[in-house]
Amino acid sequence: VGVLQETTQHHRVINRLAQAAAVFKCAAEGIVILRNKCFECANDAFYTITEYRDNDLIDQELPFLTRQFLGSKVYDGIWRRMAQYDSWQGEVTAYKNNNEMIYVWLSIARIPVSNGEEDKQCIVMMSDITAVREAQEQLSQFAYYDSLTNLPNRRLVMDRLKQALALAARESSFLGVLFIDIDNFKRVNATLGHKA
């Protein structure tokens, strides 16, 4: 008597699990598994980005995904979207374990569980975009502020004027603009110097 069993599908599943484990371990983005919104496990990149340790967050909500941190409106919006579409993406500010603020891009997705468990599992992908945010702020500073005086330049004034005009048109309200000119500013600048 012999038994012959097809194991090709079993081997494919094992290979896929091994691939998923390698991605989880080696990804540059932080990856966190949540069970009922609470921390279950994370990859090394998450600990590198946030400077938390392995046991700091077990069975707790992620500190930057709590109602107290985000506010009720944002928090409820995220989880309402998750309930409706099984995913959410967005930018949040977060704090490392040492209280240093960082900007992170989060992608949250529901993990489909088919074994009858009541627990709701999610995967959170986290990218540190602090350097990008700081570069954008620096470019904005260069674009909209005078490098000598650090005062808003003409481009920023025109941008704010367009916004104010659009708001006034939308609300059918009035808008006043006051223009102040300094006489002989060029001569003062040329004779007394930029510092004066």
Side-chain angles (χ1 to χ4, degrees), residues 35-46:
R35 184 183 298 270
N36 295 327
K37 301 181 189 175
C38 292
F39 181 92
E40 188 167 272
C41 65
N43 68 348
D44 293 339
F46 171 79

Side-chain angles (χ1 to χ4, degrees), residues 36-95:
N36 295 327
K37 301 181 189 175
C38 292
F39 181 92
E40 188 167 272
C41 65
N43 68 348
D44 293 339
F46 171 79
Y47 295 116
T48 301
I49 292 168
T50 63
E51 298 182 3
Y52 283 101
R53 291 185 307 271
D54 202 12
N55 296 324
D56 289 342
L57 302 170
I58 295 294
D59 295 329
Q60 298 177 42
E61 284 188 285
L62 291 174
F64 48 86
L65 272 181
T66 62
R67 184 182 302 277
Q68 294 82 0
F69 186 80
L70 295 171
S72 292
K73 184 178 179 183
V74 174
Y75 180 86
D76 292 340
I78 289 171
W79 295 109
R80 194 170 31 254
R81 169 105 182 153
M82 285 293 297
Q84 191 173 2
Y85 298 105
D86 288 338
S87 67
W88 179 86
Q89 287 188 348
E91 181 182 325
V92 299
T93 54
Y95 287 89

Side-chain angles (χ1 to χ4, degrees), residues 108-125:
I108 307 173
R110 176 112 36 239
I111 300 172
V113 180
S114 58
N115 60 2
E117 290 184 25
E118 291 294 317
D119 294 343
K120 294 180 179 171
Q121 295 182 36
C122 296
I123 185 167
V124 179
M125 304 274 298

Side-chain angles (χ1 to χ4, degrees), residues 105-169:
W105 182 263
L106 297 180
S107 297
I108 307 173
R110 176 112 36 239
I111 300 172
V113 180
S114 58
N115 60 2
E117 290 184 25
E118 291 294 317
D119 294 343
K120 294 180 179 171
Q121 295 182 36
C122 296
I123 185 167
V124 179
M125 304 274 298
M126 173 180 164
S127 299
D128 183 355
I129 59 169
T130 305
V132 173
R133 266 292 151 255
E134 288 171 352
Q136 286 176 336
E137 288 171 10
Q138 194 173 25
L139 286 173
S140 177
Q141 181 73 18
F142 289 142
Y144 292 118
Y145 292 88
D146 180 72
S147 60
L148 177 66
T149 62
N150 208 27
L151 293 172
N153 64 17
R154 180 178 292 155
R155 186 178 291 141
L156 181 61
V157 170
M158 294 309 291
D159 179 65
R160 296 304 185 267
L161 181 59
K162 283 179 187 173
Q163 289 178 17
L165 285 169
L167 180 65

